[in-house]
Amino acid sequence: MEKKVLIIINPRSGTMRANKYLTGVAEMFVRAGYMPTVLPTTKHGDGTAYAKDFAKEFDLIVGIGGDGTFNEVVAGVLDSGESIPIGYIPAGSTNDFASSLGISKDVLQNAKNIVEGKRAAFDIGSFNGRKFSYVASFGAFTEASYSTPQSIKNMLGHLAYVLEGVKEGIMAIASLNPIHMKIEADGMDYEGDYIFGAISNSTSIAGILTLKKEYVNMNDGMFEMLLIKMPRNPLELAEILHALLLQNFESSMLVFVSAKTFHIQAPADVSWTLDGEYQEGCTEILVENLHSAIELMLPGEEERLVLLPDKM
């Protein structure tokens, strides 16, 4: 076997169903000519450390887990400085990034897609230097990503996020506690009181908010920013709900723009979430699009991919 694959698995992701398919996944790679090495994560940050420390020893790195696991693998590969393709087998509770790409929820089918797939370039985000794969967000809905206990996620899966997110949204609106932000997006200034904000490269955010595929190109060097203004009365709240349902981004209660760089002034006590993981707030934030920063192994028929010549 001339090729080697590092499989990084989070054994606690989602309903932990990926564990029972691990032997089948490894066999799939062996049949494709790879010698697999499997490293399970035991704590936060292991995925990044594994990918960073061992990237130069492998031809392919595959992450099995949720969006947080994928985030760690991506960060590790970027930190390593190696140009190595990444495979993603989603096994978490929500898997927003995978949903944006239409990646199958079938673990073994995903392994097959990786060994038979094509390399495709994707943008990655930087939040004051910390890498994220598809979203940086604040406000209502976002805390559910990291505050929902893992045991509840395992039992209820995606529903856990929906229930927790709806609860947060209601509490945020009922408490009338707006978040004042100043944001410069590629030279355009936005300032106001918001209950939610997201800078994303995905058609799905927290499994609750969605964007149509025509609004999102995951390798165009741009991110989409959605801000939801603080409603001052029931009519404005109804307008927000109606606009989100119909994806009417012309609504006066929403801000929706695409940009490469975002300079943000925010309250220090407002926490963020990056790909479902907690990020402490700070007053000055720089969010940047890192164009074509990673390469993923995906089925070649996906029309929205920027396919690259096969170097493997």
Side-chain angles (χ1 to χ4, degrees):
M1 296 181 184
E2 298 180 356
K3 297 181 291 184
K4 295 194 296 182
V5 56
L6 174 61
I7 301 173
I8 299 174
I9 181 171
N10 181 349
R12 295 167 302 283
S13 274
T15 57
M16 299 181 286
R17 66 184 180 87
N19 298 341
K20 65 181 180 180
Y21 295 109
L22 183 56
T23 300
V25 169
E27 181 180 350
M28 189 80 68
F29 284 104
V30 169
R31 291 183 181 278
Y34 287 90
M35 183 179 72
T37 296
V38 178
L39 288 177
T41 60
T42 61
K43 62 183 182 301
H44 178 73
D46 277 353
T48 298
Y50 295 159
K52 179 180 179 180
D53 292 345
F54 303 120
K56 63 182 178 182
E57 301 178 19
F58 292 88
D59 302 287
L60 172 67
I61 294 182
V62 174
I64 304 179
D67 290 328
T69 302
F70 180 70
N71 172 290
E72 290 194 4
V73 171
V74 166
V77 169
L78 289 176
D79 289 345
S80 76
E82 299 292 326
S83 178
I84 179 174
I86 300 170
Y88 181 32
I89 299 178
S93 302
T94 303
N95 307 309
D96 281 325
F97 188 81
S99 297
S100 296
L101 292 173
I103 294 178
S104 170
K105 296 180 181 179
D106 185 310
V107 173
L108 294 181
Q109 180 61 48
N110 264 316
K112 185 174 185 291
N113 289 343
I114 291 170
V115 298
E116 296 180 353
K118 301 292 184 181
R119 295 165 48 253
F122 281 89
D123 297 339
I124 291 297
S126 171
F127 182 103
N128 282 356
R130 178 180 171 183
K131 308 302 188 299
F132 65 92
S133 304
Y134 72 94
V135 67
S137 59
F138 68 87
F141 315 121
T142 58
E143 188 177 342
S145 300
Y146 55 82
S147 66
T148 306
Q150 186 63 50
S151 59
I152 300 299
K153 294 179 186 178
N154 291 348
M155 285 189 294
L156 299 180
H158 171 66
L159 180 59
Y161 286 102
V162 175
L163 294 177
E164 191 68 22
V166 170
K167 182 183 76 173
E168 284 183 28
I170 293 173
M171 291 177 63
I173 294 170
S175 65
L176 297 177
N177 186 27
I179 301 170
H180 192 80
M181 292 271 186
K182 294 182 180 179
I183 303 173
E184 178 192 326
D186 285 355
M188 298 296 293
D189 294 323
Y190 304 89
E191 181 175 0
D193 295 328
Y194 307 103
I195 59 170
F196 171 83
I199 298 171
S200 69
N201 194 34
S202 171
T203 59
S204 178
I205 303 171
I208 299 171
L209 301 176
T210 59
L211 299 176
K212 293 178 181 178
K213 291 183 178 180
E214 52 262 38
Y215 290 122
V216 180
N217 182 324
M218 300 176 75
N219 192 49
D220 62 353
M222 308 285 279
F223 285 153
E224 284 65 51
M225 179 178 72
L226 173 64
L227 301 173
I228 302 178
K229 296 181 181 180
M230 179 69 190
R232 293 167 295 183
N233 53 60
L235 287 178
E236 289 188 344
L237 175 57
E239 181 180 342
I240 290 172
L241 297 175
H242 187 259
L244 292 175
L245 179 64
L246 298 180
Q247 298 199 33
N248 172 24
F249 299 121
E250 300 301 319
S251 168
S252 62
M253 296 304 296
L254 305 180
V255 174
F256 185 75
V257 297
S258 295
K260 176 179 174 57
T261 304
F262 303 83
H263 292 87
I264 303 168
Q265 296 180 36
D269 60 350
V270 173
S271 59
W272 291 66
T273 178
L274 306 183
D275 298 343
E277 301 295 324
Y278 175 76
Q279 167 62 47
E280 183 178 3
C282 48
T283 57
E284 298 288 337
I285 300 166
L286 173 62
V287 175
E288 298 176 285
N289 180 294
L290 307 180
H291 184 46
S292 295
I294 63 168
E295 299 174 7
L296 295 183
M297 297 299 295
L298 294 168
E301 66 269 14
E302 175 58 60
E303 294 179 356
R304 290 177 291 119
L305 304 184
V306 177
L307 299 177
L308 302 172
D310 191 358
K311 296 188 296 187
M312 297 180 62

